Amino acid sequence: MAVETKLPPVLDIIRSNIVKYGNPLAMKGSEVASWAKGLNLPKRGDILFYTGGEYQLLPFIDSLVKTMTHIDQGSKGFSLMMGVRNILDKAGFNAEKVYASVLAKDRERYNRVCNKAAHILQRLGYDLCYPGDEELYSGALLYELGFWEDLKEYAQKVVDMIERTGAKTIVCLSPHAAEVLKLIYPQMVPGFSAEIKTFVEMVWEQRDKLPAIPTSKPVVIHDSCRLARELEVDEEIRDILQAVGVPIVEAYRNKKWTTCCGGPSKLLFPELSHTMGSRRVDELEETGAEIILTSCPYCLASLEGGQAKGDKTTVEDLIEFLYRGFAA
Amino acid sequence: MKLDLTKDFAEYAKDLNQASRDANIQKAMARAVKSYRDTTAETMKRYPHTPDLALEVQGIKTNAIENNPDLLQQAMASVERNKGKAFYAKDAEAALALAAQIIGKGKTVVKGKSMLGEEIHLREYLEEQGTEVWETDLGEFILQLKKERPMHILSPAIHVPREQVAEIFSKFFGKEVPPDIAAEVAQVREFMRDKYFTADVGISGANVVAADTGAMVIIENEGNVRLSTGAPPVHIVMVGIEKIVPTFSDAMKVAEVTWRYAQYGIPGYVNIISGPSKTGDIEKVTTYGAHGPKEFYVIFVDNGRSLMARDERFSQALHCLRCGGCMYECPVFQVTAGHFGYTYLGGIGSIWTAFVSGGLEKAAPLLYTCLRCGRCVERCPMSINVPEMVGQLRKMIVNGEQIGDGDLTLAATVGNASQALSS
């Protein structure tokens, strides 16, 4: 007998935003692609630069979570509010308007991550293409949350988008996108066979061309679960840092034993997620390193959120850190 | 059918948050995690063959689960050959009814720790029937007095510090018990000793069962299992059907891997029990009930396990040895202890909850708590892919599928098994 189960509303909001708008928070394509303005990246080419919109939506996820932390998700008020948001979304949720004043700085920073990543790859000799406002989110959350039937349909749209670019290789900035495209899409879209690479792997192949980053202070690497376990990319990050002359200290739990940043439970259990993020920051800070590096948008946001007030450490994405070498 | 879980999720989230702010839980878990990791690292260094043995055991368990119906028949025949009595219970109700029937009215029972007992609410059921039941495992005894469920499968009272234990004991024993662990342990020892020798029945679980010999392997450290299975005149083993492996030597391998990943080089005691106590010392006439129990019963409990075994997506969940290692590595469990659980705890517990203890409804909040981070898989000696199964079950919830949907063979198999037993 079929049972229709009503789960917390946030799950269905995320689901329907992805399915309807190609993005978990129903951001506009132009908003997702705004980082690429002025770069004139071609829409077709051999290597597709794939942001999946994930770094771009980080500041908005945090706003959503901040709202949820203060509101009981089982309450009528919450459903009502999410309903209003949904109505707004029907015209395309202009998140910028809603949160602009609070988060302009964050938005700028996370948009710049995409920009810096493209810059680094280009300088390493890769010719990138980018579909601009046609870019769609990978659907990783549909897989994660159990909406596999939706993903089957949605994945086809993403594959069509990829095929229009003519690319043979897809560079994913987010390990979540890389995981779902590499390991799940082949089961859902027959014949899908594009080569899926993470940003880290692409940089690793050309690491000899990276400019050195002058520093004597060691960094600590927070391995993302997806990257270290599902995709088995961990030594590559160490090799890259060695190539740019940066000393590394290792956390007690690292590589395939890495500790989750708590990010996955942000939507349903925000307080718990925050606790786990703080604990991971503590583990990383025990090494004495002042810079924490990661290579995943959600880890980046969770670890930053987990820092205590007055923490001396900074959390950076590997992209931001490597860009220092080019900016110097 | 419609099922609204929004309230359940909200209440559960509150419970998790509360647990994560509880100073007792945080203190106890921090100690436990550190001790587990340090001891295990040291133990693995001393016994470096363990990971290879674990791989071998993966093979043993995979085959055993595939051939479970045959092994069950074999194990039952072996128990009977050893002059014990073997039963098959298809669900919790059947298991409880069998136990109650064997025990009879107005009796006293001493019980060893058993997750299966928790699953079917054995103690509560027997108490309702007017049976006096004592949990002999120290941690379980604390929880029995505290009226709480276990917060870890091996260290059930992992969340209760000595100060709180002293309060509970002082109240129960009606005298001042100091917050000193040795004094607390001594107090229980004195109290329990009398129970072992006056109890009518001892009940235990088993970590492994060897089908060829009917040997029950029970791992322990306190010595409570030796006493509660040795002193009373009747011993009942209640064990899940997934614990059966083909041979005695397989069972030894499974047992070693179990305790090694449960942070022991070697446990204090390994009990191997295969039948009632007997002697032939007078005129070579075999007489039962020499020093140990005269009667020996084994109840093999299914309660959803064969359903799991037949579904290739979930059969690996039955490879779980209950070493508890995964829980120490789980970022959620580290801050919430067993609050991330129903009867079975943590990520693997969410799978077990769905099949044997609570169904998808109770499993849903747990399934959505799992981070799918995968560190449990690294720790697990059986490399059980919990994140994969969590994904499958989330999909089932979203699609409105039910456990056992489309399992047409169930009725037939269970019917046959029960018939075979009664004949």
Side-chain angles (χ1 to χ4, degrees):
Chain A
M1 186 177 46
V3 176
E4 194 187 316
T5 306
K6 205 171 157 204
L7 296 167
V10 66
L11 298 181
D12 198 57
I13 288 161
I14 298 290
R15 180 197 72 85
S16 52
N17 283 344
I18 297 171
V19 171
K20 281 190 218 158
Y21 305 111
N23 183 285
L25 296 185
M27 290 167 74
K28 284 181 181 171
S30 56
E31 169 78 16
V32 170
S34 69
W35 67 269
K37 257 179 223 156
L39 286 184
N40 296 320
L41 292 169
K43 287 202 170 187
R44 287 181 59 86
D46 284 342
I47 305 172
L48 168 64
F49 182 77
Y50 184 63
T51 75
E54 292 184 72
Y55 281 95
Q56 298 92 311
L57 58 75
L58 288 183
F60 305 103
I61 285 191
D62 276 359
S63 285
L64 186 67
V65 169
K66 273 174 200 151
T67 316
M68 288 192 308
T69 313
H70 295 102
I71 293 175
D72 176 1
Q73 279 200 50
S75 75
K76 272 195 183 144
F78 183 81
S79 317
L80 204 67
M81 190 192 68
M82 296 317 276
V84 170
R85 189 190 296 273
N86 249 352
I87 292 162
L88 270 177
D89 289 350
K90 283 193 178 140
F93 170 34
N94 190 338
E96 189 178 2
K97 250 184 200 165
V98 182
Y99 300 120
S101 57
V102 192
L103 294 155
K105 202 182 67 184
D106 285 350
R107 200 175 61 251
E108 170 64 18
R109 176 186 168 187
Y110 293 124
N111 266 340
R112 286 280 287 154
V113 173
C114 299
N115 200 293
K116 289 172 178 175
H119 186 89
I120 293 167
L121 292 174
Q122 285 180 323
R123 294 286 292 269
L124 293 179
Y126 295 111
D127 285 325
L128 307 175
C129 70
Y130 180 63
D133 57 13
E134 288 166 40
E135 186 183 32
L136 295 171
Y137 168 68
S138 69
L141 276 170
L142 291 177
Y143 181 71
E144 190 68 28
L145 300 174
F147 301 108
W148 295 10
E149 296 300 318
D150 293 300
L151 181 58
K152 255 181 218 163
E153 230 169 274
Y154 180 79
Q156 188 60 57
K157 284 198 233 170
V158 178
V159 169
D160 290 346
M161 180 269 293
I162 291 169
E163 280 173 354
R164 281 198 296 277
T165 67
K168 294 181 186 68
T169 302
I170 302 165
V171 194
C172 300
L173 296 194
S174 161
H176 289 262
E179 183 201 18
V180 75
L181 289 177
K182 189 172 181 172
L183 305 176
I184 309 302
Y185 270 43
Q187 302 166 31
M188 296 210 164
V189 183
F192 179 71
S193 62
E195 182 188 33
I196 309 298
K197 288 262 179 87
T198 58
F199 172 83
V200 176
E201 291 166 288
M202 294 292 274
V203 171
W204 181 80
E205 284 170 19
Q206 299 295 325
R207 64 191 180 284
D208 297 342
K209 293 186 192 160
L210 286 167
I213 299 172
T215 175
S216 56
K217 285 186 180 168
V219 299
V220 60
I221 298 160
H222 164 73
D223 293 281
S224 118
C225 297
R226 292 287 167 270
L227 208 52
R229 287 192 275 260
E230 273 77 5
L231 299 166
E232 298 178 323
V233 174
D234 50 18
E235 289 303 340
E236 288 84 344
I237 302 178
R238 277 93 187 150
D239 291 347
I240 290 169
L241 289 169
Q242 200 184 7
V244 298
V246 173
I248 303 164
V249 283
E250 293 288 355
Y252 169 56
R253 280 297 190 245
N254 65 354
K255 300 181 187 172
K256 67 175 190 174
W257 284 94
T258 187
T259 306
C260 178
C261 66
S265 62
K266 222 175 208 185
L267 295 169
L268 285 169
F269 308 105
E271 184 180 329
L272 194 66
S273 170
H274 179 262
T275 304
M276 291 185 278
S278 309
R279 286 168 56 91
R280 179 55 173 164
V281 169
D282 290 346
E283 279 182 9
L284 295 163
E285 288 180 347
E286 271 168 25
T287 61
E290 286 171 24
I291 297 176
I292 297 169
L293 292 184
T294 187
S295 186
C296 166
Y298 307 112
C299 293
L300 179 64
S302 297
L303 295 179
E304 287 198 316
Q307 284 184 298
K309 268 196 185 133
D311 255 2
K312 269 189 280 171
T313 50
T314 55
V315 182
E316 283 184 42
D317 196 277
L318 179 70
I319 294 164
E320 298 174 293
F321 188 74
L322 292 179
Y323 187 78
R324 291 182 182 199
F326 291 100
Chain B
M1 206 175 96
K2 286 193 177 185
L3 186 64
D4 187 348
L5 292 183
T6 48
K7 259 217 176 91
D8 293 41
F9 267 79
E11 275 163 25
Y12 169 72
K14 265 184 212 156
D15 184 51
L16 287 184
N17 290 341
Q18 219 162 4
S20 73
R21 291 186 220 122
D22 185 317
N24 283 340
I25 294 179
Q26 298 319 310
K27 197 179 358 170
M29 285 306 300
R31 278 181 200 158
V33 169
K34 187 176 181 333
S35 138
Y36 175 82
R37 285 172 167 172
D38 292 351
T39 319
T40 306
E42 201 188 302
T43 311
M44 292 297 175
K45 218 179 270 172
R46 188 169 301 128
Y47 305 103
H49 68 283
T50 310
D52 285 342
L53 188 62
L55 270 180
E56 196 187 337
V57 167
Q58 279 188 31
I60 292 171
K61 289 295 284 184
T62 306
N63 281 327
I65 297 302
E66 274 169 21
N67 301 317
N68 186 263
D70 288 344
L71 291 175
L72 173 62
Q73 303 288 348
Q74 266 187 57
M76 295 183 69
S78 297
V79 170
E80 297 276 345
R81 195 170 58 240
N82 299 339
K83 307 294 177 199
K85 293 236 177 319
F87 303 89
Y88 167 84
K90 73 175 195 312
D91 54 24
E93 289 74 41
L96 292 169
L98 278 166
Q101 211 181 322
I102 296 166
I103 294 166
K105 296 269 173 227
K107 301 289 170 65
T108 299
V109 169
V110 281
K111 187 181 157 292
K113 181 171 61 191
S114 147
M115 280 308 295
L116 174 68
E118 297 294 327
E119 171 189 323
I120 63 177
H121 305 292
L122 178 62
R123 188 181 74 234
E124 294 81 350
Y125 175 84
L126 292 177
E127 282 173 348
E128 276 168 30
Q129 305 277 308
T131 306
E132 187 182 319
V133 184
W134 294 104
E135 296 286 357
T136 60
D137 174 87
L138 181 59
E140 284 267 23
F141 177 65
I142 293 168
L143 297 183
Q144 181 177 14
L145 300 185
K146 213 167 174 264
K147 296 189 175 30
E148 272 182 15
R149 66 178 175 85
M151 285 290 140
H152 188 273
I153 57 172
L154 293 183
S155 311
I158 195 168
H159 58 301
V160 191
R162 70 189 75 168
E163 295 79 8
Q164 217 182 340
V165 173
E167 269 174 49
I168 297 163
F169 282 2
S170 298
K171 197 173 153 206
F172 176 74
F173 293 114
K175 64 176 186 189
E176 186 68 22
V177 179
D180 170 70
I181 296 176
E184 290 166 349
V185 171
Q187 183 60 51
V188 175
R189 178 189 163 99
E190 187 194 320
F191 172 79
M192 216 50 97
R193 202 134 287 251
D194 173 57
K195 301 294 172 201
Y196 293 125
F197 291 98
T198 52
D200 304 288
V201 179
I203 300 182
S204 75
N207 295 89
V208 205
V209 177
D212 63 346
T213 46
M216 311 282 137
V217 183
I218 311 168
I219 304 166
E220 61 154 339
N221 281 296
E222 293 183 13
N224 63 311
V225 173
R226 317 210 100 192
L227 286 161
S228 48
T229 62
V234 178
H235 175 199
I236 305 173
V237 179
M238 297 185 83
V239 61
I241 55 171
E242 85 284 8
K243 302 282 191 202
I244 309 169
V245 294
T247 68
F248 185 80
S249 81
D250 289 336
M252 290 300 108
K253 288 171 184 166
V254 175
E256 181 176 353
V257 170
T258 305
W259 72 60
R260 194 66 38 76
Y261 281 82
Q263 71 178 312
Y264 297 109
I266 181 83
Y269 306 95
V270 182
N271 304 277
I272 299 171
I273 303 170
S274 46
S277 147
K278 63 185 175 194
T279 178
D281 282 358
I282 303 174
E283 295 179 14
K284 289 268 177 241
V285 175
T286 307
T287 306
Y288 292 93
H291 298 281
K294 189 176 182 179
E295 295 170 36
F296 177 69
Y297 302 89
V298 182
I299 304 173
F300 290 97
V301 183
D302 189 325
N303 206 28
R305 287 163 174 78
S306 53
L307 208 54
M308 233 195 283
R310 279 197 305 278
D311 192 327
E312 59 181 18
R313 295 168 301 174
F314 301 108
S315 59
Q316 58 168 322
L318 293 168
H319 300 175
C320 178
L321 305 178
R322 307 260 161 80
C323 67
C326 55
M327 296 175 197
Y328 295 106
E329 294 298 347
C330 171
V332 180
F333 196 84
Q334 287 180 349
V335 291
T336 60
H339 292 268
F340 174 25
Y342 186 61
T343 300
Y344 290 98
L345 314 176
I348 181 73
S350 68
I351 317 294
W352 275 74
T353 301
F355 279 88
V356 312
S357 177
L360 273 180
E361 181 183 341
K362 296 295 179 198
L366 312 179
L367 289 165
Y368 278 95
T369 315
C370 173
L371 300 158
R372 298 185 74 250
C373 80
R375 189 160 65 180
C376 56
V377 189
E378 300 297 329
R379 173 55 80 192
C380 178
M382 298 295 102
S383 304
I384 297 172
N385 195 333
V386 169
E388 168 71 30
M389 290 187 284
V390 165
Q392 290 279 2
L393 286 168
R394 286 181 185 176
K395 183 211 73 174
M396 288 177 67
I397 293 171
V398 163
N399 290 354
E401 297 165 40
Q402 284 290 282
I403 298 288
D405 268 359
D407 192 288
L408 300 171
T409 53
L410 174 70
T413 314
V414 168
N416 286 343
S418 322
Q419 233 166 20
L421 303 182
S422 54
S423 62

